[in-house]
Amino acid sequence: MAKLLVAGVSVLSIGITGCTPVLEEQAERGTLLSQAESTITSRRAIADVQALVELGPRVTGTPVMEQARAYLIEQYTRAGYETKTQTFTYPKFEDLGSNITVNGRTINGRALNGSIAGKQSARLVAVPNVGQASDFAAVDVKGAIALVRRGEIPFLQKAQNAANAGAVGVVIINNESSDLYGTLGGEVQIPVLALSGKVGNSLFESQQSQVSLAVNTRQRTVTGTNVIAHLPGVTQPRVIVGGHYDSVPGSPGANDNASGTAVVLDIARNMAQTTLARQAWFVAFDGEEDGLHGSRYFVSQAQPSFLEGLDAMLNFDMVGVNDQLLVGGTQSLTKLTQATQSDISIFGSQGGSDHAPFARAGVPVLFFYRGQEPNYHTPNDKSVEPRLLDETSQVGFNVLKQILNSDTVSVAM
Ligand code: BES
Ligand code: ZN
């Protein structure tokens, strides 16, 4: 694969020395890449995806991310760009495995996001209704573990009512048979475990007396790093082209989102041959999977005038699987995209990604995406279709040409 990459680069560099003005002219007229050029494009984008996937899951704050970063920096540098990194930190909550043991049988649950860690062996008391303060008045939970049903009032209030009544732990039962992934949303001095309706309801009915609760959580500070690439001296771009390069734990993140990372890099390589490159910044965002931390930080650090100077932010996330290319975002830009390429569907916003913080800051945005797929956030997200990377890259480049060649961009939502 290294060979393929080297070969691709050398072929392209021969092409560049021979015909830079032609490429520039083509770009400015908005013509498609020729067949030969598009083959090179596709081979390099798939090589980028493979290089990132081979590193293993790209979890923010891990050494793999340093390798992914080194790879991206090398590629952007080779394409003629300057790179800088932007580092940020955020607190990350982790459940390392939490459960309740009844009669020697361990039942797995999920710690509520934000719960303190704790181990307690105590009486189990089933609290009537949904755990209002008045419900706790009807039972004695002092020194006990309170078993409460989900619903009507926030988790935080149930847990606080339990703590106020003297309980040493709380177990919340989902109101559906499935697992419960919830967030506490505030501070409580006792550990809080969530159980699926399936196991929780049978526990509620079983009237067990003695149980052991184990909530095994930790909160740590994670450091993320965005990679920003632009031509030397470009301090005020008109467009930002970006995508996240982190993935969820356990997933190699080929489609989510080595695909978008590779497409952004591919657009950068193709644009480097044109004068349009002086209008763009390219960003690989980190910390997306933990809550859009990289893009939020980028926006928070940008001067208001920098953001006002942007005509568009283009985000590419999950663009290597599924034939249908979808685009979401600011109406004027989704319309412009459809005018450029009529077979693209417009979709309403679903799921969060890195364009969202820019949209909230008033920047017109476009979100390129190919829809859900079975391998999303699983260990099987390990391959993408080269043809789809290529198509996305060309559409993205064409849209950028349109945006950059129009003097005024309407920002109507
Ligand atoms: N690639 C997804 C974004 C996505 C998923 C967009 C489905 C549209 C539909 C992204 O990496 C992700 O998983 N985002 C999270 C939200 C984020 C704020 C943690 C999501 O959508 O659940
Ligand atoms: Zn993603």
Side-chain angles (χ1 to χ4, degrees):
M1 192 209 66
K3 235 181 181 170
L4 179 72
L5 189 60
V6 172
V9 168
S10 62
V11 169
L12 190 69
S13 58
I14 293 163
I16 293 163
T17 22
C19 62
T20 305
V22 178
L23 277 175
E24 239 172 60
E25 201 191 317
Q26 272 187 348
E28 252 129 64
R29 284 204 318 263
T31 43
L32 279 172
L33 294 171
S34 75
Q35 190 57 45
E37 285 154 355
S38 112
T39 309
I40 292 163
T41 292
S42 144
R43 261 198 282 140
R44 292 204 301 188
I46 196 67
D48 294 328
V49 168
Q50 279 165 359
L52 292 169
V53 164
E54 276 168 16
L55 300 174
R58 298 178 303 281
V59 180
T60 303
T62 65
V64 169
M65 285 305 263
E66 284 163 36
Q67 293 173 268
R69 216 147 38 234
Y71 179 82
L72 294 174
I73 289 170
E74 191 189 332
Q75 296 304 320
Y76 277 109
T77 307
R78 275 201 214 172
Y81 293 93
E82 240 174 33
T83 59
K84 53 187 183 222
T85 54
Q86 182 182 45
T87 296
F88 52 91
T89 60
Y90 56 92
K92 182 170 179 172
F93 173 86
E94 284 172 301
D95 183 359
L96 305 172
S98 301
N99 54 57
I100 185 165
T101 301
V102 185
N103 283 336
R105 193 169 71 94
T106 297
I107 303 167
N108 288 324
R110 299 288 313 175
L112 271 203
N113 208 309
S115 166
I116 63 160
K119 277 191 173 166
Q120 298 288 347
S121 285
R123 274 186 305 129
L124 183 72
V125 176
V127 179
N129 304 316
V130 292
Q132 305 264 20
S134 56
D135 300 328
F136 278 97
V139 285
D140 176 18
V141 296
K142 211 167 175 47
I145 292 160
L147 188 59
V148 187
R149 290 188 197 277
R150 183 182 190 177
E152 288 181 37
I153 57 170
F155 299 136
L156 182 64
Q157 216 171 316
K158 294 174 201 270
Q160 276 168 348
N161 290 343
N164 291 342
V168 295
V170 194
V171 178
I172 297 177
I173 306 168
N174 201 0
N175 47 13
E176 293 168 25
S177 67
S178 55
D179 284 340
L180 167 54
Y181 295 89
T183 296
L184 201 45
E187 274 190 27
V188 182
Q189 297 311 313
I190 55 177
V192 188
L193 180 76
L195 291 181
S196 68
K198 191 164 175 247
V199 296
N201 285 325
S202 60
L203 186 63
F204 198 92
E205 259 105 61
S206 71
Q207 304 193 337
Q208 288 300 326
S209 51
Q210 199 68 20
V211 297
S212 294
L213 177 70
V215 175
N216 192 8
T217 59
R218 75 172 171 193
Q219 175 104 22
R220 60 196 177 99
T221 301
V222 173
T223 301
T225 306
N226 296 331
V227 177
I228 303 168
H230 55 70
L231 288 185
V234 177
T235 53
Q236 177 64 63
R238 284 177 59 203
V239 294
I240 287 180
V241 189
H244 72 93
Y245 71 109
D246 62 314
S247 68
V248 296
S251 173
N255 191 35
D256 187 10
N257 184 31
S259 67
T261 308
V263 163
V264 173
L265 182 51
D266 198 53
I267 292 173
R269 285 185 186 123
N270 290 328
M271 218 187 226
Q273 316 310 323
T274 76
T275 54
L276 300 181
R278 298 208 66 79
Q279 321 252 38
W281 276 23
F282 303 90
V283 187
F285 295 106
D286 198 355
E288 193 269 356
E289 297 291 3
D290 289 329
L292 316 180
H293 290 285
S295 47
R296 279 165 48 193
Y297 187 76
F298 183 100
V299 169
S300 77
Q301 294 305 296
Q303 298 291 335
S305 64
F306 178 93
L307 296 174
E308 277 159 26
L310 294 175
D311 288 335
M313 189 278 176
L314 270 63
N315 178 34
F316 295 84
D317 194 353
M318 298 171 70
V319 289
V321 175
N322 295 337
D323 276 0
Q324 179 65 59
L325 182 59
L326 306 169
V327 68
T330 310
Q331 208 179 55
S332 57
L333 292 179
T334 55
K335 279 195 178 144
L336 181 144
T337 306
Q338 259 190 336
T340 311
Q341 193 98 4
S342 58
D343 55 352
I344 294 177
S345 297
I346 295 177
F347 75 109
S349 128
Q350 39 170 296
S353 190
D354 290 315
H355 57 285
F358 288 87
R360 275 196 292 273
V363 177
V365 300
L366 269 181
F367 174 31
F368 291 89
Y369 167 70
R370 289 185 184 272
Q372 266 305 347
E373 49 120 353
N375 298 328
Y376 172 62
H377 285 186
T378 74
N380 291 328
D381 180 10
K382 50 191 179 194
S383 62
V384 297
E385 273 188 67
R387 172 178 66 87
L388 300 178
L389 299 180
D390 197 20
E391 185 196 287
T392 314
S393 171
Q394 292 199 32
V395 170
F397 193 12
N398 285 336
V399 168
L400 283 165
K401 283 184 236 169
Q402 294 282 325
I403 294 170
L404 293 172
N405 286 335
S406 62
D407 289 327
T408 47
V409 172
S410 154
V411 291
M413 297 293 277

